[in-house]
Amino acid sequence: MGSKYVDCSGLSCPEPVIQARKAMQEPGIDEVKVKVNSTVARDNVSRSARTLGWQVQITSEDDSFILTLKH
């Protein structure tokens, strides 16, 4: 299976959620890493992924968050 990286730095909701969901729905993708730089985007992408049955791991990197979404 494959993985995908989505950089949503500087984007405000709902754009990070839309881009993350689009990546999660691509055929053959079972891991998506999403970079966001706001707690609102972090929380909304996490909630959306969990709703779709994906596991979420969050790490901090400088002033951003990296969300690793696994199916």
Side-chain angles (χ1 to χ4, degrees), residues 12-56:
S12 54
C13 281
E15 194 60 33
V17 173
I18 292 168
Q19 288 193 24
R21 286 180 78 113
K22 185 176 177 182
M24 287 186 282
Q25 294 171 345
E26 288 185 24
I29 298 295
D30 62 354
E31 179 181 272
V32 178
K33 290 187 182 252
V34 183
K35 182 177 182 179
V36 296
N37 61 345
S38 76
T39 55
V40 172
R42 177 198 66 196
D43 295 345
N44 289 343
V45 170
S46 297
R47 190 177 311 111
S48 176
R50 287 186 179 114
T51 298
L52 294 173
W54 288 61
Q55 296 176 353
V56 180

